[in-house]
Amino acid sequence: MFAARQRAGCVARQLQRTARSYASESHGHHPPAGPVNESFGTGSLITVGTFFSCVLLYQFVPAEGEASFVSNLLSKYQSRSEHWAEINALHTKAQEQAGFDRNLFENASNKHRFVDVAYPEALQSHAPRNIIAGQLMNIDHVVEHYRQQHLQSEERKAKKLAEKQA
């Protein structure tokens, strides 16, 4: 087996090997490249620019206790809780005034004034479909009862006021 290997090695060495040739190098039609003026690369320019921009930025850093330009700009466009509390207080005051004005205009006359109920429909809230006969109560007599009580209390107040003025 060893002898077969030696013989195979000899045969392989004796085989003619082809040399590679490249057409672009063998013709010589292209002139050699001339001298090139090399400059600093973009990486070195970016590094130097970053250094000088950091130095420039450090010059504009506010002193201790001062607010910076950026924080002033951001705080101008951020909503503050005090601002919203003030707006909500004004809205609440306006709603209360509107309710007072509505009550004043709707209840100007004492004779046709009804007892104020915030949500009278809550007394008989129901779905408008599938109503069984006798399910809905007639509460007109209840409304009339409280209306009469209100008129009596208004007459009593008017008498007391007349006695005080007399």
Side-chain angles (χ1 to χ4, degrees), residues 86-120:
E86 181 182 337
I87 289 174
N88 289 339
L90 288 174
H91 280 233
T92 303
K93 191 174 181 181
Q95 289 294 329
E96 289 173 353
Q97 185 64 38
F100 176 77
D101 293 344
R102 179 179 177 193
N103 192 14
L104 181 68
F105 290 126
E106 285 184 356
N107 301 321
S109 169
N110 285 339
K111 292 294 179 187
H112 299 290
R113 181 176 168 197
F114 294 99
V115 179
D116 292 333
V117 179
Y119 182 52

Side-chain angles (χ1 to χ4, degrees), residues 125-136:
S125 60
H126 62 277
R129 302 174 296 279
N130 300 328
I131 298 174
I132 301 170
Q135 182 179 2
L136 298 179

Side-chain angles (χ1 to χ4, degrees), residues 15-140:
L15 286 176
Q16 201 176 24
R17 294 199 176 147
T18 58
R20 290 184 182 175
S21 64
Y22 298 101
S24 63
E25 292 178 357
S26 63
H27 293 290
H29 293 290
H30 301 290
V36 178
N37 186 11
E38 293 184 9
S39 66
F40 291 108
T42 56
S44 61
L45 292 176
I46 290 173
T47 303
V48 171
T50 303
F51 174 74
F52 283 116
S53 64
C54 288
V55 169
L56 184 66
L57 183 66
Y58 183 73
Q59 295 296 322
F60 293 109
V61 170
E64 188 121 354
E66 286 184 11
S68 68
F69 171 74
V70 176
S71 63
N72 286 339
L73 188 67
L74 289 176
S75 66
K76 185 166 65 170
Y77 290 106
Q78 284 180 340
S79 62
R80 294 178 205 93
S81 60
E82 302 90 22
H83 183 66
W84 280 106
E86 181 182 337
I87 289 174
N88 289 339
L90 288 174
H91 280 233
T92 303
K93 191 174 181 181
Q95 289 294 329
E96 289 173 353
Q97 185 64 38
F100 176 77
D101 293 344
R102 179 179 177 193
N103 192 14
L104 181 68
F105 290 126
E106 285 184 356
N107 301 321
S109 169
N110 285 339
K111 292 294 179 187
H112 299 290
R113 181 176 168 197
F114 294 99
V115 179
D116 292 333
V117 179
Y119 182 52
E121 291 84 13
L123 297 173
Q124 281 190 324
S125 60
H126 62 277
R129 302 174 296 279
N130 300 328
I131 298 174
I132 301 170
Q135 182 179 2
L136 298 179
M137 297 184 303
N138 187 2
I139 60 168
D140 289 339

